[in-house]
Amino acid sequence: MIFDGHNDSLGRLQEMDVAPELFLTGLPDRAVDLPRARAGGMAGGLFAIFTASEMDGDHGVPIDHEAAATFTLAAIGRAHALAGASDGAVRVARSTAELEGAFALVLHLEGAEAIDPDLVALDAWYAAGLRSVGLVWGRDNAFAHGVPFRFPSSPDIGPGLTDAGRALVRRCAQLGVVVDVSHLNAAGFADVARIGAAPIVASHSACHALCATSRNLTDDQLREIARSEGIVGIVFATRFVRADGREDPETPLSTIVAHVRHAIEVAGLDHVGLGSDFDGAGMPSELADVAAFPRLLAALRDDGLSAAEVDQIAWGNWRRVLGLAWR
Ligand SMILES: [Zn+2]
């Protein structure tokens, strides 16, 4: 079984304005849908809700709360609609018990703009099934500063969390909502670690030691994630895993395997999972969609990991950390 820490399927459904039921029967030219998930052994994942914005150089233009809230409402509505149309095959998962028995959509905000700085909306989104909040995307918002997309670059760009950001991290921990630090800058990451309220989750990041993009985690950050009982979902996006930082579909699976290995070496086996970014970023051609997950698992075994270790990376670690965060 595979739990994937990050995909953009739900946002794409919303942007494309397609009938949600198509997720159940198969979406043309997409990486994530139910038939492909079944073929690949994917049992669920964090489904990102991402309100797009223009780029200004290497960072995104900030968006306002109203626009993000409107988009998020519609995307959550679609998630429930497709679960409702699935005859029990898909559910919006709100607890670890609900991760099994049906394909599990875990609702995740990529960038917290849909939450107002007073956090009133957070309770509404929680009631609607939201269980994970990425504080920022690669742009600034009321809570934190997203790291710009730079290569090569340290992730240490810009200031830490705002007061509202610190309050959001604490409130998420109280409610039992994952706080995701992927896209957050180093000062913001350090603030989340200092608050220490919950396991630190980096849903879709890789190792800065192997690919020196601002989006990746330094070894110190990987150790901090382990100390917090958290997890890094290793991203498959070629520009975040290649040593040259280029987007290239000819990237071999061994490149991703090397990031899994490095994260295990630094953070420990218990703190490493998968976080593809399917439907959100350029993937290796060998890993074009979720049906190809078994190829990556085979590559991990070929590299010397045992079947039990691969199971832990693919499923067990995510399940344990979500259980800690959602308690
Ligand atoms: Zn992302």
Side-chain angles (χ1 to χ4, degrees):
M1 275 200 311
I2 296 159
F3 187 88
D4 185 13
H6 192 92
N7 74 68
D8 280 298
S9 176
L10 200 55
R12 286 296 165 93
L13 282 181
Q14 175 59 15
E15 277 169 20
M16 292 161 59
D17 198 27
V18 298
E21 291 79 6
L22 276 181
F23 183 89
L24 306 172
T25 53
L27 284 158
D29 307 320
R30 296 263 71 92
V32 188
D33 57 29
L34 191 60
R36 287 178 169 96
R38 284 187 168 144
M42 177 186 177
L46 292 178
F47 278 68
I49 299 165
F50 169 67
T51 309
S53 63
E54 301 291 312
M55 292 298 290
D56 178 12
D58 58 12
H59 59 280
V61 175
I63 56 169
D64 60 35
H65 166 62
E66 285 72 21
T70 300
F71 183 88
T72 299
L73 184 64
I76 290 182
R78 277 180 198 251
H80 285 285
L82 90 79
S86 75
D87 205 15
V90 176
R91 73 158 68 100
V92 174
R94 302 156 188 258
S95 66
T96 48
E98 290 182 344
L99 292 176
E100 293 176 64
F103 185 80
L105 298 181
V106 178
L107 298 179
H108 167 81
L109 278 186
E110 182 164 30
E113 288 91 344
I115 301 167
D116 55 297
D118 294 330
L119 312 184
V120 175
L122 177 59
D123 291 86
W125 299 133
Y126 181 83
L130 185 75
R131 288 296 179 273
S132 178
V133 171
L135 298 174
V136 273
W137 186 68
R139 63 191 173 211
D140 296 344
N141 63 26
F143 307 102
H145 301 270
V147 78
F149 296 91
R150 286 186 196 162
F151 180 93
S153 171
S154 155
D156 192 5
I157 303 168
L161 302 185
T162 65
D163 289 346
R166 282 187 285 273
L168 175 58
V169 170
R170 291 195 186 93
R171 182 69 185 129
C172 282
Q174 278 171 358
L175 274 173
V177 172
V178 166
V179 171
D180 176 16
V181 298
S182 285
H183 291 282
L184 185 60
N185 63 7
F189 182 107
D191 284 341
V192 172
R194 210 169 290 128
I195 291 167
I200 301 174
V201 170
S203 67
H204 60 306
S205 295
C207 305
H208 197 272
L210 303 184
C211 169
T213 168
S214 55
R215 266 282 280 111
N216 282 345
L217 298 163
T218 65
D219 287 356
D220 282 346
Q221 289 177 320
L222 288 169
R223 282 186 279 267
E224 197 67 62
I225 285 172
R227 264 196 293 276
S228 78
E229 292 300 323
I231 189 169
V232 51
I234 297 293
V235 70
F236 307 165
T238 60
R239 60 191 288 220
F240 301 146
V241 293
R242 293 174 60 90
D244 62 11
R246 284 195 302 118
E247 185 159 333
D248 183 351
E250 295 318 306
T251 303
L253 294 185
S254 59
T255 308
I256 297 168
V257 170
H259 281 266
V260 171
R261 282 295 206 172
H262 183 83
I264 291 172
E265 207 171 285
V266 176
L269 177 70
D270 289 348
H271 306 291
V272 183
L274 304 177
S276 68
D277 213 355
F278 276 127
D279 281 332
M283 295 284 135
S285 54
E286 283 183 87
L287 207 47
D289 63 20
V290 296
F293 265 128
R295 283 190 194 155
L296 178 62
L297 303 194
L300 290 167
R301 281 192 298 271
D302 289 347
D303 197 60
L305 291 169
S306 70
E309 288 169 332
V310 172
D311 281 350
Q312 211 181 316
I313 292 162
W315 174 261
N317 288 338
W318 269 115
R319 194 190 185 287
R320 188 192 72 249
V321 173
L322 292 176
L324 287 171
W326 291 347
R327 70 195 177 280

